[in-house]
């Protein structure tokens, strides 16, 4: 069974930094995309950033220049380095992966349980 586990969330002052990690485990044939969504109180879930199997990355305009996504393919892990954090970054951050468990599968989306990031002013 595939499992995504996030870690690294917490409380930080505005201007500070955090690094989130998401490790995928279980039977995995390939990972097409890994990345991060977030959902703030009263807000819709939004895509923060993604790291694709082809090496492309994208970022939401609100975090561009402050957040950096990276990956460790050997560990099936994606990271989110969050710098110059703002109170508006406060949200639950969810790791996701588009992956195939077997070669004949179409890619399916899996989600982590979420990790809370709180930025105080």
């Amino acid at each position: 069974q595939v499992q995504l586990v996030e870690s690294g969330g917490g409380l930080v002052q505005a201007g500070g930094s955090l690094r989130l990690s998401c490790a995928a485990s279980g039977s995995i044939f390939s990972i097409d995309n890994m990345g991060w969504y977030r959902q703030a109180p009263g807000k819709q879930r939004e895509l923060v950033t993604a790291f694709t199997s082809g090496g492309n990355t994208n970022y939401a305009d609100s975090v561009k220049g402050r957040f950096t996504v990276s990956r460790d393919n050997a560990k099936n892990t994606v990271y989110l380095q969050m710098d110059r954090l703002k109170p508006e970054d406060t949200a639950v951050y969810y790791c996701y992966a588009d992956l195939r468990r077997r070669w004949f599968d179409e890619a399916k989306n899996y989600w982590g349980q979420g990790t809370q990031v709180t930025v105080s002013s």
Side-chain angles (χ1 to χ4, degrees), residues 27-41:
S27 180
I28 300 171
F29 174 74
S30 66
I31 299 176
D32 294 340
N33 306 277
M34 288 190 75
W36 299 89
Y37 281 78
R38 69 183 182 185
Q39 187 165 19

Side-chain angles (χ1 to χ4, degrees), residues 9-24:
L11 175 65
V12 65
Q13 290 185 332
S17 298
L18 288 172
R19 191 178 78 153
L20 307 184
S21 299
C22 174

Side-chain angles (χ1 to χ4, degrees), residues 47-50 57-65 67-70 80:
L47 176 66
V48 177
T49 183
T57 60
N58 59 76
Y59 297 89
D61 288 341
S62 59
V63 307
K64 191 174 184 179
F67 291 9
T68 304
V69 65
S70 61
L80 182 64

